[in-house]
Amino acid sequence: MTATVTDHDNAYADLLGSDDAHWAFGHLPEIQQGEDPLAGVDTTVPAGLDPAGLAAYCLFLGDDALVMSHRLSEWCSNAPDLEDDIALANIALDLLGQARLLLSRAAAADPSVVPALPEGSPVPAEDALAFFREARDFRNVRLVEVPHGDFGHLVARLLLFATARLAAFERLTAHADPVLSAIAAKGVKELAYHRDYAARWFVTLAQGTDESRRRLLAGLTEVWPLQAELVATYDVAAETGVVLDEVLAAAGVDRPAVGPMSGHGHTEALSRMLAEMQVVARAHPLGTW
Amino acid sequence: MSEWPLYEVFVRGKRGLNHVHVGSLHAADDAMALHNARDVYTRRNEGVSIWVVRADAIAASSPDEKDPLFAPAGDKVYRHPTFYSIPDDVPHM
Amino acid sequence: MTTTVPEDVLLQQFDAVIARNDRIEPRDWMPEGYRKTLVRQVAQHAHSEIIGMQPEGNWLTRAPSLRRKAILLAKVQDEAGHGLYLYSATETLGVSRGELTEMLIEGRQKYSSIFNYPTLSFADVGTIGWLVDGAAICNQVPLCRTSYGPYGRAMIRICKEESFHQRQGYELLMTMMRGTDEQRAMVQESVDRFWWPALMMFGPPDADSPNTAQSMAWGIKRNTNDDLRQRFVDMTVPQAEALGVTLPDPELRWNEERGAHDFGQPDWDEFMQVVQGNGPCNRQRIAHRRRAHEDGAWVRDAATAFAARGTS
Ligand SMILES: [Fe+2]
Ligand SMILES: [Fe+2]
């Protein structure tokens, strides 16, 4: 009848600085120019690590978070109820926060990954990477970029994604780059929550009504072929398999009998998504936001 | 199609304080209510501990509130939801 | 078992609570007119928060920087929270969120006219924060002292977040004004479109607002429409100057005698058209809300069925 939870994490922690000023009534904002997500952090790449390799890895991790966050943000004002609208926005915000840190980390490790902008452009590195790269230069897996379907599709995709990413982040907390390991440590708490959210809905939909089970299985079957690439890229096939089997067993669901999708690179969906995401930024390469 | 039941949410702002009522939300069960409470009421880290309880499980006594009926003890926190139908058309009760 | 207290005695007690500026709480007896007025006002307010997610949500997938994307998503998410708090306040009056949602999508209850205007550029995100959330703050801060306890408590929480909304909007516009000529033009064009609809948010002039007197007597409303509109204009003019934009009203000037700004009247015919459902986005907004609600039905049903099984 009464239940308890303690020590939750805060999805908003670094959105507007840590001060309480936004609680104050009625005075004008102090102007803060686009803060660098890594402001004040020593971004020197440790000796023995290849800066280009580190940047490429951070780009892949950052692009996955960015694209997944974008797809989740498309649910805003479209969720089954207000409580889930808020929960999905929290997850999208967590991932967007991860993307900002990781893209900034990539740019600091190897500035040559950042696309060149016109002379005098004030666009920060994280935004140059997000808004001024072509689709072919994005390193995200295909699972995160395919267009969203119904809530069953969302739950299946989020479960696969959060499970693999959490396993990878747990390992990355021991990475030789202290910046990446700190980003991973922060992300682990967030991803554990995302996985929990998805797993709970997975079981609920699987055992709810005939319709919810049918829709969940349809969504799962649709995203399953993209799972192989996901776990291979994150190199977490074993850990992921154990967790997924537990959730599938609790839900009474079998692994879909569909093979992995062949090929690599991107689907047709990514360039379309980026066309929308980048349209304003690209129209104003000298603009400041 | 039924609505999810209403839950009341209590948050303890920091250790050493009491849990205080912060609002309500809908959820199908306790587990979902806790998740929803965390998302809805602690988005800005306002609490370290959450309690949720179904609104219809709370017994209430508030002699100062002038209920039209002197109902037996153990009354509900709110006026009963099905007491009224659509407000626009409700005749004077 | 139960004893009925005569209604005139209850009314006296109710009036006494209002007279000493105390709060009415959910289990109190209240006149049916008070309850109906409250349900209408709080529901309309809740619907406005929820429908208000759409115009800004329209730019979520196109925000031009990651920081702005995060701020905008957090802001739109807040509005969902506001709607939720306010629907909860109506539950204490015996009307459920589901019933109110039905009334919204059937067009039987209204929401703020402002959200029936389109968002046509990213600058609108800033303008909405500055002017629309700003107007909402003017309307809402006094409601923290409204006579109905649950409504007032919801408003206190909401007002805190609204001030963040206004600040992020104003900050976006300030930043854009320091940018390129195109960005400055975007800001001005956006302010031109939103100024008059923002003034309409306070409702028709007092002379045409028949319910205001009763609502004020009951302590549901604390100021008249014209009072609040004046306060908003006086607050906004120096902010516009600091920003470097002009407000599109040739009659706008400081009146030394009144110690306040004179200003022109919005097009009240247009306002009536929008309120009656003929604004640029009325049908689109309701259709969006209806689709989300109906598309979510199978999910809500699934959770109900799952919970009923007690397997959780
Ligand atoms: Fe709001
Ligand atoms: Fe707002």
Side-chain angles (χ1 to χ4, degrees):
Chain A
M1 195 150 298
T2 312
T4 316
V5 73
T6 49
D7 285 329
H8 31 70
D9 313 302
N10 175 15
Y12 278 68
D14 39 23
L15 202 54
L16 275 172
S18 55
D19 68 343
D20 257 358
H22 69 265
W23 294 113
F25 284 46
H27 63 91
L28 297 180
E30 287 147 51
I31 306 309
Q32 295 168 327
Q33 262 305 347
E35 316 117 38
D36 176 0
L38 288 179
V41 175
D42 178 5
T43 54
T44 317
V45 178
L49 274 183
D50 166 33
L54 177 63
Y57 193 63
C58 288
L59 273 186
F60 139 66
L61 291 173
D63 286 347
D64 264 9
L66 176 59
V67 174
M68 186 70 180
S69 170
H70 188 94
R71 287 299 185 206
L72 285 168
S73 75
E74 292 172 340
W75 275 90
C76 187
S77 81
N78 292 298
D81 216 334
L82 295 178
E83 286 83 355
D84 286 289
D85 218 298
I86 292 169
L88 292 173
N90 273 342
I91 297 173
L93 280 166
D94 287 343
L95 291 172
L96 187 51
Q98 292 179 14
R100 294 187 62 193
L101 290 165
L102 287 160
L103 296 183
S104 299
R105 181 44 179 149
D110 179 4
S112 75
V113 299
V114 182
L117 286 172
E119 178 94 4
S121 170
V123 174
E126 55 168 323
D127 291 334
L129 284 166
F131 297 99
F132 291 89
R133 264 184 307 159
E134 300 300 319
R136 64 171 176 274
D137 295 327
F138 274 70
R139 292 162 188 259
N140 60 280
V141 298
R142 289 174 291 179
L143 175 76
V144 295
E145 73 190 33
V146 292
H148 75 243
D150 64 8
F151 193 74
H153 182 272
L154 164 81
V155 166
R157 165 153 65 176
L158 186 60
L159 178 67
L160 299 187
F161 177 71
T163 303
R165 194 168 169 94
L166 175 58
F169 269 47
E170 279 170 346
R171 198 186 297 163
L172 286 172
T173 56
H175 196 274
D177 175 33
V179 181
L180 180 52
S181 83
I183 294 171
K186 177 173 182 287
V188 161
K189 293 184 216 143
E190 297 165 350
L191 293 162
Y193 172 72
H194 306 171
R195 189 182 71 177
D196 191 37
Y197 177 87
R200 205 170 43 80
W201 268 116
F202 192 94
V203 174
T204 301
L205 296 182
Q207 305 197 342
T209 62
D210 290 345
E211 186 185 10
S212 70
R213 187 175 177 84
R214 178 178 60 71
R215 284 174 178 266
L216 176 75
L217 294 181
L220 182 65
T221 306
E222 210 176 312
V223 295
W224 192 262
L226 296 165
Q227 204 250 354
E229 179 190 63
L230 172 79
V231 295
T233 313
Y234 280 91
D235 188 21
V236 289
E239 303 97 305
T240 302
V242 174
V243 176
L244 279 185
D245 284 342
E246 256 178 60
V247 178
L248 292 176
V253 168
D254 294 327
R255 287 185 178 225
V258 284
M261 187 184 286
S262 61
H264 53 83
H266 295 294
T267 65
E268 292 177 351
L270 181 66
S271 61
R272 196 173 288 278
M273 191 202 100
L274 293 180
E276 181 179 354
M277 189 180 98
Q278 298 176 334
V279 63
V280 179
R282 288 200 178 209
H284 303 273
L286 295 172
T288 167
W289 311 98
Chain B
M1 188 188 64
S2 61
E3 267 186 85
W4 292 343
L6 189 68
Y7 278 79
E8 298 302 326
V9 181
F10 300 80
V11 168
R12 187 177 62 197
K14 56 180 170 192
R15 290 169 192 281
L17 300 180
N18 286 316
H19 284 78
V20 292
H21 182 238
V22 292
S24 36
L25 49 75
H26 287 267
D29 55 34
D30 291 355
M32 188 193 279
L34 277 174
H35 271 260
N36 288 346
R38 181 192 133 127
D39 275 310
V40 172
Y41 289 104
T42 72
R43 284 173 298 147
R44 288 181 178 157
N45 204 13
E46 292 168 71
V48 293
S49 169
I50 304 175
W51 291 347
V52 294
V53 60
R54 273 182 70 142
D56 61 13
I58 298 178
S61 162
S62 32
D64 184 45
E65 293 177 20
K66 302 299 185 294
D67 208 285
L69 307 174
F70 289 134
D75 196 5
K76 300 305 175 196
V77 253
Y78 300 145
R79 316 181 90 196
H80 197 274
T82 54
F83 198 73
Y84 302 101
S85 59
I86 309 303
D88 279 351
D89 317 324
V90 174
H92 193 276
M93 300 288 300
Chain C
M1 300 273 253
T2 57
T3 318
T4 304
V5 181
E7 187 160 319
D8 54 338
V9 177
L10 291 165
L11 185 58
Q12 270 174 20
Q13 291 167 337
F14 172 88
D15 286 341
V17 172
I18 298 284
R20 61 172 193 267
N21 251 325
D22 212 340
R23 301 293 181 269
I24 301 295
E25 292 295 344
R27 298 173 68 243
D28 282 331
W29 180 89
M30 57 190 84
E32 187 54 20
Y34 176 87
R35 198 188 73 87
K36 281 173 78 165
T37 302
L38 260 178
V39 169
R40 192 181 61 229
Q41 180 172 331
V42 183
Q44 186 165 322
H45 192 162
H47 297 329
S48 300
E49 302 283 357
I50 298 307
I51 295 290
M53 296 169 73
Q54 293 179 36
E56 287 182 284
N58 180 37
W59 287 91
L60 261 177
T61 52
R62 290 174 289 175
S65 83
L66 297 183
R67 175 169 171 265
R68 288 295 167 196
K69 200 177 170 83
I71 292 175
L72 180 57
L73 182 52
K75 197 244 177 184
V76 178
Q77 181 198 40
D78 277 350
E79 307 299 4
H82 297 175
L84 193 153
Y85 307 153
L86 289 163
Y87 284 129
S88 298
T90 63
E91 312 240 14
T92 69
L93 293 158
V95 189
S96 75
R97 189 197 299 178
E99 288 170 312
L100 294 178
T101 302
E102 290 296 327
M103 286 199 268
L104 170 66
I105 62 185
E106 285 164 14
R108 294 163 60 199
Q109 281 184 336
K110 308 231 175 281
Y111 54 88
S112 177
S113 57
I114 191 77
F115 301 119
N116 291 315
Y117 290 86
T119 50
L120 302 177
S121 83
F122 188 72
D124 290 359
V125 168
T127 308
I128 287 178
W130 175 39
L131 295 179
V132 175
D133 289 278
I137 291 171
C138 281
N139 265 331
Q140 292 172 3
V141 167
L143 291 176
C144 296
R145 294 181 297 113
T146 193
S147 61
Y148 188 58
Y151 187 28
R153 291 191 285 275
M155 289 316 307
I156 289 170
R157 194 178 187 89
I158 288 170
C159 283
K160 287 179 178 173
E161 295 182 345
E162 292 300 354
S163 100
F164 151 69
H165 295 174
Q166 191 190 23
R167 284 152 41 99
Q168 65 80 31
Y170 193 76
E171 193 228 326
L172 170 58
L173 298 182
M174 288 275 260
T175 308
M176 289 179 69
M177 290 301 284
R178 284 199 309 269
T180 62
D181 288 344
E182 287 92 346
Q183 287 187 294
R184 277 185 285 279
M186 268 171 90
V187 172
Q188 183 63 58
E189 188 273 338
S190 174
V191 170
D192 288 345
R193 267 185 295 115
F194 272 96
W195 174 248
W196 293 112
L199 288 191
M200 293 176 192
M201 286 175 68
F202 298 94
D206 295 345
D208 306 322
S209 180
N211 300 325
T212 295
Q214 178 62 71
S215 282
M216 286 182 69
W218 275 332
I220 295 176
K221 227 169 139 162
R222 291 291 185 181
N223 303 83
T224 71
N225 297 350
D226 286 333
D227 270 358
L228 291 168
R229 192 167 12 246
Q230 179 74 55
R231 198 179 294 181
F232 175 70
V233 171
D234 290 336
M235 257 176 43
T236 306
V237 168
Q239 293 171 353
E241 277 166 19
L243 199 54
V245 296
T246 54
L247 299 172
D249 178 0
E251 295 173 49
L252 182 65
R253 63 180 56 82
W254 177 251
N255 181 326
E256 193 66 56
E257 255 167 65
R258 290 201 305 126
H261 291 86
D262 293 336
F263 56 96
Q265 286 295 308
D267 180 347
W268 292 115
D269 290 337
E270 177 184 306
F271 175 75
M272 286 316 296
Q273 283 299 311
V274 175
V275 167
Q276 281 159 18
N278 298 316
C281 299
N282 296 59
R283 288 175 189 85
Q284 173 190 338
R285 302 287 187 239
I286 292 294
H288 179 133
R289 187 72 196 101
R290 175 188 287 280
R291 180 177 40 69
H293 184 66
E294 290 175 354
D295 285 355
W298 69 270
V299 180
R300 298 190 299 273
D301 287 348
T304 303
F306 181 72
R309 230 167 274 168
T311 34
S312 70

